[in-house]
Amino acid sequence: MKTIPSQEIKRRGIVAATELLAESASVYVIQGNKPVCVVIDEQRYKELLEAEEESLVAQVRESLEDIKAGRYRVSTADELIRDFKLDEGQVPSRPYRAVRKKARKVHKRPPRA
């Protein structure tokens, strides 16, 4: 696994990462001692996209086969919660509200003396 600091890319540009790609299949960009992204060459990216698409198509085909074979059932949300033994505390009704409230929090400046 090759790594490169984000400052190096800022200083030298994408050439810094492409030089490392010649030695390795992927390059991790490090910022603040944590990997923040991975650089891969275009051919590898296309391969990953094709593999993902093939996987999704296989999942849809499997689901259609299940439907044709009658391996499904129709349920309400309440029935699913009961069947999976989830209680109300585990299923948030509106999980996005907490995030929105946090984002709206505004820090006011202290008054000037």
Side-chain angles (χ1 to χ4, degrees):
M1 170 177 85
K2 296 285 184 177
T3 62
I4 187 168
S6 61
Q7 287 298 319
E8 183 72 12
I9 292 176
K10 185 176 180 180
R11 190 172 62 81
R12 292 184 51 213
I14 195 65
V15 172
T18 54
E19 287 174 355
L20 290 174
L21 278 176
E23 304 169 18
S24 177
S26 60
V27 177
Y28 288 80
V29 179
I30 307 297
Q31 187 174 36
N33 293 327
K34 295 179 185 177
V36 292
C37 64
V38 179
V39 179
I40 56 176
D41 67 11
E42 185 179 10
Q43 182 59 38
R44 178 68 179 136
Y45 178 70
K46 286 179 180 179
E47 291 169 2
L48 289 172
L49 287 178
E50 288 175 15
E52 181 182 36
E53 185 176 343
E54 289 172 9
S55 174
L56 292 173
V57 168
Q59 290 174 17
V60 169
R61 283 190 179 135
E62 185 179 337
S63 296
L64 291 173
E65 289 172 9
D66 286 343
I67 291 170
K68 286 180 185 175
R71 293 186 297 259
Y72 72 96
R73 66 181 181 154
V74 178
S75 301
T76 65
D78 290 333
E79 291 169 336
L80 288 172
I81 290 170
R82 185 190 67 236
D83 292 348
F84 285 107
K85 296 178 177 54
L86 299 173
D87 63 14
E88 288 297 320
Q90 292 176 304
V91 183
S93 59
R94 299 181 111 180
Y96 64 89
R97 281 186 159 218
V99 173
R100 286 179 47 199
K101 284 182 182 176
K102 241 184 202 176
R104 289 183 184 171
K105 199 175 209 180
V106 177
H107 298 284
K108 294 183 180 178
R109 293 182 187 191
R112 290 185 178 178

